[in-house]
Amino acid sequence: MGKQLCEIDPHGEELDDLIITLACGHVFTVETLDGICELEKYYTRDDDDDAWAAIAPPPQGLKRPPTCPHCREPIKSLRYGRVYKRADLDMSEQNVATSCRRALRLIHERVAAFDGAQISNNLEKALEKITPGERAVGGGEAEEELNKQEKKAIRPNEPLPVPSKRFDKKSPHLRPIPKSIKEAWVKATRRLLAYYEDASKVAGTTSSHVRAYEAAVATLYRQYLEELGHSSNLPGVTPEDMALGLARKHCGLSAPPKADVRFRVEACWLTFNIRFHMITLAQKVAEILVRAKIGEMVRTHWADMIEDIIYSVERDASMAIEVARKSQSNRQIVRTALFLMEAQYQAFSHRVDRYLSPGRLDNLKDEARDGCAKAKVAMEQYSRLFREAMDFRLSDQQWLKDNFGAPAEAIVAKWAALITRLDGGYTPVTDAEKREIVKALMGGFLGIKTRGHFYQCPNGHAYVITECGGAMEESHCPECNSVIGGSSHTLNSSNTRATDLENIGAEEGMTASPFAWGQGA
């Protein structure tokens, strides 16, 4: 070190005698440049003669390109190729991170500025002229079977998050929806889907180090496979498996690099918020469809779509938690858990709105209590794991309370409110109350004296047909909006006779019906 050029032995073989002329024109000994480029961090030395022997695992942290001590030009001699390529990768990684950070900030601002209330009002205005005559589009067994196949659960190999095409205007869930309703929905969600697509692109961005690792493994795999292709002495493995194992072993890394998952998980958060916006709007449309007395088939397809959006959040949140766990991103784990807990609550709340009936009330109550208990367990479990991982530091405990504890408690409170609603808002009618109702119908201006007037919808909600007791028109159940009634004295096939009320009527003195449709009541 420190020799002048005239002091160099041109025939010497030691590192302090060998020289390299850089692209900038400055000349240094190999020993000097080895020190500047920190070559000992990239290769291991032989114990016997101290010569460079093998590739070492790359150093941790961000590395900058080595530069000439005189003019600061990058050192790109072939001897230091691994050094400056690593620095180039780090610079590329920084550029990707900056780009992702900027994109996520922009998407976040746009989602935060989305005026859900105004869009909801616009939806209501657009749908105010729809009529009960709106029918599901298409039909036939073959088409129904195709729709069922296309609506099936998200495949395990689908990307994270699920592609936006699952929710766009070509979605199989929207295919049977009448044109007027579909067009209003597509217009209302157009911007949300654009934000979703932008966030998905950020989530799909691959780390520069991962791309380099995959390229190196692929190149070595092809080389080893060519060498092993004609070998018949492999120890119980295929040439492909052997070549892949060798490629991974000799590519310079003992294990694949862990991509920086921060931006991937944060991009998923944005898609969750976008989908929750869509769920709120879709539930508003569902209310409009009920008020407009739209056919049950259309409403069923619409409810299926809401269910699928909620399920997609559950699936993606579970996967994002695993991604964060593998990279030991503890704060991301608990924040993603909130989305999973919210999706689980919304999934059950949607089921209650969709399937609530006296016959299912007890089961729904049990499921609600079970869901609330699981939410409490999840809150305690994620809190405990976070505290253990962060060594119980006070600053982290406060962060956990503000960013996980309080929101998780709010979700548990929603479960409790739903349980209260089921316990208090839908108490089954007692036999004594049913008897009083029958007696009231027997007296007064209705004066029902014969049996054959009491029926119930598919969900068990009772109703009365006056006059002769025969169904002459169809309507909708005020409780669940199912079709009730019938035509030409023929009851809709999905309805049944309310035998409990008919039996009470018989006990109170109602006589048998004189009409054919009332026989057997």
Side-chain angles (χ1 to χ4, degrees), residues 221 223-246:
Y221 170 78
Q223 293 177 358
Y224 285 120
L225 185 61
E226 187 175 350
E227 294 174 6
L228 297 169
H230 304 290
S231 175
S232 58
N233 299 320
L234 300 180
V237 296
T238 64
E240 290 79 8
D241 290 340
M242 177 67 79
L244 184 59
L246 290 171

Side-chain angles (χ1 to χ4, degrees), residues 290 457-463 475-484:
V290 171
C457 77
N459 291 318
H461 301 125
Y463 65 94
S475 184
H476 291 83
C477 174
E479 292 291 335
C480 65
N481 208 44
S482 297
V483 174
I484 58 175

Side-chain angles (χ1 to χ4, degrees), residues 14-63:
E14 298 297 325
L15 294 181
D16 60 349
D17 288 325
L18 300 175
I19 61 173
I20 293 178
T21 303
L22 301 179
C24 60
H26 295 113
V27 180
F28 297 93
T29 64
V30 170
E31 185 179 40
T32 298
L33 290 179
D34 285 358
I36 292 172
C37 296
E38 299 179 314
L39 209 62
E40 72 279 358
K41 294 183 177 180
Y42 295 85
Y43 300 91
T44 59
R45 290 184 181 274
D46 189 281
D47 293 335
D48 297 327
D49 56 9
D50 203 34
W52 299 117
I55 293 174
Q60 299 296 316
L62 182 68
K63 294 298 178 183

Side-chain angles (χ1 to χ4, degrees), residues 119 122-123 126-127 130 134 137 168-169 174-175 177-190 285 302:
I119 297 298
N122 294 343
L123 255 178
L127 296 175
I130 58 174
E134 299 281 2
V137 178
D168 65 15
K169 62 184 179 181
L174 285 177
R175 189 177 299 150
I177 301 300
K179 183 179 179 181
S180 57
I181 301 172
K182 183 191 298 185
E183 288 180 347
W185 172 255
V186 170
K187 182 178 179 181
T189 58
R190 183 178 293 117
V285 174
W302 195 261

